[in-house]
Amino acid sequence: MRARIGTRRRAVALAAVAALGAGLLAGCADDGDDGGSDSPNSGGGKGETTITLGLFGTFGFKEADLYDEYMKLNPNIVIKENVVERNENYYPALVNHLTTDSGLMDIQGVEVGNIAEVVGTQSSKLLDLSKYGKQADYLEWKWKQATTADGQTIGLGTDVGPMAICYRTDLFKAAGLPTDREEVAKLWAGDWQKFVETGRDYKKKAPKGTTFMDSPGGLINAILSSETERFYDASGKVVYKENPAVKAAFDLTAAAAEDGLVGNQTQFQPAWDSTIANSKFAAMSCPPWMLGYIKGKSKPEAAGKWDVAQAPKSGNWGGSFLAVPKAGKNTEEAAKLAAWLTAPAQQAKLFAVQGSFPSAPGAYTSTEVTGAKNDMTGDAPIGTIFAEAAKNSPVQVIGPKDQIIQQGLTDNGVILVAQGKSPKEAWETAVKTIDNNLDQ
């Protein structure tokens, strides 16, 4: 599938989250069936108010039994959800419904890659949820992503994708590198350049047929995810060509590709999947949902051979929001439900069952997070590691066409260096592709 990069990765993330919910996190319950879209108690009756949710992929509310719990607490409420499998099919329809004030659910999900566009063009159609959700309950940068310039918060954060580095301890050991996660993190602390230098050290004694990192796209995405300003400035102007941080990320990734430190693969394609299955790389940028993807594509003997270390700099890859359209039939009750579903206690439960990492720091001290373990990473305290990354991620400027720019830099840029083009040629190709797509 050649969807926009953020959309493609969101779809993959949802599949990975389903794998997590199937028992990857220690102590998880079964994630339940994925049959019909309605809640089991979706009947309507006299005196009952039905709240409808329009979602994409698997948010996990049903799988974590949160709907049933809310309906027990509020007997007059009936909850129904309508799910579209992929965001690239869901989001254009949502924009159309918001524009025409028709066909809307009481609550609508919004993917992080679309939130800037929704804030910029559709905020007048959405309820200000700052009166329902508590700003202090959410990560500062997550709250700001859904807040307009005049202070209206039109979406409450569900999950986030704090970035760490997943690495193979067996391959690191074979290459003469430390394997203890704290010692590994010290190799590249605070500096992506040091991360690439670690790759050069790995290459000196690398097991035959392996690269240090999985792909050029994984590296440039991780670097750019840790920057406050990437493709747009605070005023909304496209600045990716002039922003030195973007060119530096591109050049560093291109250098790694020229030196053979990253695989010549595009993430989430079959050839890339086979590199996971056949242990062809030693490290990768890794939000929580990636652990589910790793498990799904790995051979059984890989269990316990992975570990997780802090990334050189904290960043985020993934996440969504719940918004309440003003044209909905039950805005007051919908807003209350959205606030409850995204409150710390519910986010902790969602993580335990579904693997969606909380955007509410209050959940980070819960046993569901602090006690989380993973089949692939053994005793690694994954909840604590990802919580630290989430708290330290920058308040990032997000633009409406971020996905187009990211995809251009990756699929029409750094991957070309791994295929033999010069960094200069690859940059020029990426810029031409991006500018053409932005003009459409």
Side-chain angles (χ1 to χ4, degrees):
M1 179 180 69
R2 305 307 303 161
R4 296 175 298 175
I5 194 163
T7 299
R8 178 173 71 243
R9 287 173 176 168
R10 173 65 184 175
V12 171
L14 294 166
V17 159
L20 282 166
L24 185 54
L25 293 173
C28 289
D30 191 316
D31 70 345
D33 71 88
D34 58 355
S37 61
D38 285 351
S39 170
N41 301 324
S42 59
K46 187 175 181 180
E48 293 179 336
T49 298
T50 299
I51 305 299
T52 57
L53 290 91
L55 307 172
F56 54 92
T58 306
F59 273 61
F61 302 135
K62 175 185 174 183
E63 291 75 4
D65 294 326
L66 294 182
Y67 294 152
D68 284 343
E69 182 177 349
Y70 191 82
M71 288 188 287
K72 287 177 182 177
L73 294 171
N74 300 273
N76 63 314
I77 298 295
V78 174
I79 300 172
K80 294 184 178 182
E81 68 172 26
N82 182 58
V83 179
V84 176
E85 183 178 355
R86 308 183 80 84
N87 186 47
E88 60 262 36
N89 297 325
Y90 167 88
Y91 180 66
L94 173 61
V95 172
N96 181 60
H97 293 319
L98 286 170
T99 301
T100 60
D101 283 330
S102 63
L104 289 159
M105 302 290 112
D106 294 306
I107 297 174
Q108 297 280 175
V110 181
E111 204 263 352
V112 65
N114 304 124
I115 193 63
E117 187 169 36
V118 170
V119 167
T121 64
Q122 302 292 341
S123 61
S124 65
K125 301 296 184 76
L126 299 167
L127 206 65
D128 181 4
L129 296 178
S130 63
K131 302 171 185 176
Y132 301 90
K134 298 178 182 178
Q135 182 174 356
D137 281 348
Y138 302 86
L139 292 161
E140 178 189 7
W141 56 267
K142 183 74 171 181
W143 184 269
K144 287 187 176 181
Q145 285 177 339
T147 301
T148 65
D150 61 359
Q152 296 184 69
T153 300
I154 54 85
L156 296 178
T158 57
D159 58 317
V160 290
M163 196 85 71
I165 300 295
C166 290
Y167 64 98
R168 286 286 295 254
T169 55
D170 54 338
L171 297 182
F172 267 46
K173 182 178 181 180
L177 295 176
T179 58
D180 176 79
R181 67 185 70 94
E182 292 186 5
E183 293 300 314
V184 168
K186 289 178 183 178
L187 294 174
W188 52 63
D191 191 343
W192 285 105
Q193 181 68 52
K194 290 180 181 178
F195 182 76
V196 172
E197 291 299 327
T198 301
R200 293 193 173 96
D201 290 338
Y202 175 85
K203 185 179 179 181
K204 293 173 185 177
K205 297 181 180 179
K208 186 177 180 180
T210 68
T211 59
F212 174 61
M213 199 173 180
D214 64 306
S215 66
L219 179 54
I220 192 171
N221 181 52
I223 298 171
L224 289 173
S225 292
S226 65
E227 294 291 339
T228 299
E229 190 174 280
R230 303 181 303 167
F231 311 139
Y232 289 75
D233 65 17
S235 72
K237 179 184 177 183
V238 176
V239 295
Y240 81 94
K241 285 182 286 190
E242 298 80 28
N243 184 356
V246 173
K247 190 59 164 62
F250 189 96
D251 290 345
L252 183 58
T253 303
E258 280 191 308
D259 290 348
L261 308 183
V262 296
N264 178 15
Q265 304 292 344
T266 299
Q267 289 185 314
F268 310 114
Q269 299 300 309
W272 180 74
D273 291 346
S274 72
T275 66
I276 298 175
N278 296 309
S279 306
K280 292 298 185 181
F281 61 87
M284 67 191 305
S285 52
C286 191
W289 52 260
M290 187 66 82
L291 296 173
Y293 199 88
I294 290 172
K295 178 176 173 118
K297 301 302 178 181
S298 293
K299 296 176 181 177
E301 56 266 29
K305 293 181 179 178
W306 289 87
D307 208 326
V308 186
Q310 291 290 353
K313 295 181 180 179
S314 296
N316 185 74
W317 179 6
S320 295
F321 300 81
L322 296 182
V324 176
K326 291 179 180 177
K329 296 179 180 179
N330 302 291
T331 55
E332 180 74 15
E333 292 297 339
K336 291 177 182 177
L337 174 59
W340 186 87
L341 288 171
T342 59
Q346 281 63 256
Q347 290 206 28
K349 295 173 186 175
L350 196 61
F351 175 63
V353 174
Q354 199 69 14
S356 303
F357 200 79
S359 64
Y364 299 166
T365 56
S366 67
T367 55
E368 291 94 337
V369 174
T370 60
K373 295 292 188 292
N374 178 276
D375 290 348
M376 306 308 292
T377 57
D379 65 353
I382 55 172
T384 301
I385 292 170
F386 288 123
E388 190 67 20
K391 289 185 288 187
N392 292 321
S393 292
V395 181
Q396 196 168 68
V397 177
I398 296 180
K401 305 299 181 183
D402 272 9
Q403 295 173 348
I404 289 174
I405 299 171
Q406 182 80 51
Q407 182 174 353
L409 293 172
T410 303
D411 295 352
N412 305 102
V414 288
I415 187 65
L416 301 181
V417 181
Q419 296 169 355
K421 279 186 177 283
S422 71
K424 182 176 183 295
E425 289 177 300
W427 174 257
E428 291 172 350
T429 300
V431 168
K432 182 178 180 180
T433 302
I434 292 166
D435 288 350
N436 285 342
N437 288 335
L438 290 178
D439 288 339
Q440 292 179 3

